[in-house]
Amino acid sequence: MHAANPRRGYILGLGAYIIWGLFPLYFKAIQSVPAVEIIVHRVLWSALFGSLLLLMWKHPGWWRELRDNPRRLAILALSGTLIAGNWLTYVWAVNNGRMLEASLGYYINPLINVLLGMLLGERLRRLQWLAVALAALGVAQQVWQVGSLPWVSLALALTFGFYGLIRKQAPVAALPGLVVETWMLVPLAIGWLLLHPAANSANLAFFSSSEALWLIAAGPVTLVPLVCFNAAARHLPYTTLGFLQYLAPTLVLLQAVLLFDEHLTSSNVLAFACIWAGLALYSVDAWMSLRKRT
């Protein structure tokens, strides 16, 4: 096990969340393809590209470790199911005019991460508690503005929060873990294609279209940020990783309003102010803590 490297963790975490924040641009490009079919291709191409990457980027002994520890395989099966559910909800939300709700889900997610981090025994300092309170106030304002139980938001927050927690419990390197997760979903993906012969991609002629190239790109587009996220989780406290996540929903919210004509209310603006104030406080506290250690 390598020693934690906070600087590397921050760079990997930032990379993951910025790419995730730009995902709507990708999914809008293939919005004519149904959400479930997009996820089927994300699984298939992620499994293929992940395996190729694993052949080039050696991880000695990873398969023997998994084979000798069936519990780790069970953990990866569970985390793979959670991430597939998260993908499906997100793609559906983006392509059905629910980007603001998706954005809210990823604002709630860091609070879920902070709570899960506390369950793991991580303790918050005074400034961190204030940061969490401000962020919670912003999220509560967003929930109030939606006016009903935002199921899209809650589904996204809970599936990804528990995905991160479970992956942190499985001592498997980021890339092998991700490859095993996706391969466990491959039979389901192939089964779906066999049961839906009328699907766009069940027709060989489809693969000469530009849409086919977009779907194949789902492999690398999915792999890069997930590998970064899983690697970052090994270098940062879970609560810190949670707060970095505010970058992704902010980018999604800006795209929803500026590019895709979803309406930004005064309530959204107030929530933004609370969340970013909390993020600023948390960042100051993290910086002061790092300075004390060095």
Side-chain angles (χ1 to χ4, degrees):
M1 184 72 73
H2 297 294
N5 181 333
R7 182 171 293 181
R8 180 181 294 174
Y10 274 112
I11 292 168
L12 289 165
L14 285 169
Y17 291 129
I18 288 169
I19 295 169
W20 275 322
L22 298 176
F23 261 19
L25 297 175
Y26 171 73
F27 291 122
K28 286 286 186 184
I30 48 175
Q31 66 181 49
S32 60
V33 181
V36 176
E37 194 171 349
I38 292 173
I39 299 312
V40 162
H41 282 274
R42 279 188 86 169
V43 167
L44 294 173
W45 297 112
S46 296
L48 179 62
F49 281 99
S51 301
L52 292 174
L53 200 53
L54 199 52
L55 287 174
M56 293 184 286
W57 190 1
K58 300 294 183 188
H59 286 266
W62 69 270
W63 175 246
R64 189 174 61 254
E65 281 181 28
L66 277 179
R67 188 190 62 207
D68 295 343
N69 292 275
R71 182 177 168 275
R72 290 185 196 174
L73 279 173
I75 288 173
L76 290 174
L78 179 56
S79 60
T81 304
L82 284 169
I83 200 64
N86 182 274
W87 290 350
L88 182 58
T89 307
Y90 184 77
V91 174
W92 182 89
V94 167
N95 288 344
N96 284 274
R98 306 283 281 274
M99 279 174 66
L100 285 175
E101 231 178 298
S103 169
L104 172 58
Y106 287 109
Y107 278 129
I108 296 172
N109 183 228
L111 299 178
I112 301 285
N113 288 346
V114 168
L115 294 173
L116 293 174
M118 288 171 65
L119 289 177
L120 293 177
E122 294 176 11
R123 292 285 172 261
L124 299 187
R125 295 179 289 275
R126 198 170 297 171
L127 265 184
Q128 291 175 315
W129 275 114
L130 185 55
V132 169
L134 277 168
L137 183 63
V139 169
Q141 176 70 16
Q142 283 281 73
V143 171
W144 181 267
Q145 186 263 331
V146 169
S148 62
L149 190 68
W151 71 266
V152 167
S153 309
L154 292 174
L156 288 172
L158 290 168
T159 52
F160 200 74
F162 278 97
Y163 170 75
L165 177 69
I166 287 167
R167 285 296 279 114
K168 200 169 172 68
Q169 301 310 303
V172 181
L175 184 60
L178 181 57
V179 169
V180 173
E181 277 174 352
T182 49
W183 272 104
M184 284 179 166
L185 293 168
V186 163
L188 292 176
I190 292 172
W192 187 92
L193 283 175
L194 292 174
L195 290 170
H196 294 80
N200 292 341
S201 52
N203 183 346
L204 282 177
F206 173 78
F207 287 93
S208 61
S209 68
S210 60
E211 273 179 351
L213 292 176
W214 280 108
L215 283 177
I216 291 168
V221 163
T222 298
L223 281 170
V224 172
L226 266 176
V227 169
C228 289
F229 170 78
N230 285 330
R234 303 170 81 82
H235 292 287
L236 293 176
Y238 205 60
T239 45
T240 303
L241 193 64
F243 265 80
L244 281 181
Q245 176 130 11
Y246 282 128
L247 282 168
T250 299
L251 288 170
V252 172
L253 200 149
L254 288 172
Q255 288 166 85
V257 173
L258 300 176
L259 299 179
F260 303 116
D261 300 322
E262 292 193 28
H263 183 54
L264 181 67
T265 64
S266 55
S267 171
N268 296 140
V269 175
L270 183 57
F272 248 117
C274 290
I275 286 162
W276 279 104
L279 178 57
L281 267 181
Y282 193 92
S283 302
V284 166
D285 181 83
W287 174 253
M288 285 163 55
S289 174
L290 279 173
R291 285 288 298 272
K292 279 179 192 170
R293 274 185 248 159
T294 52

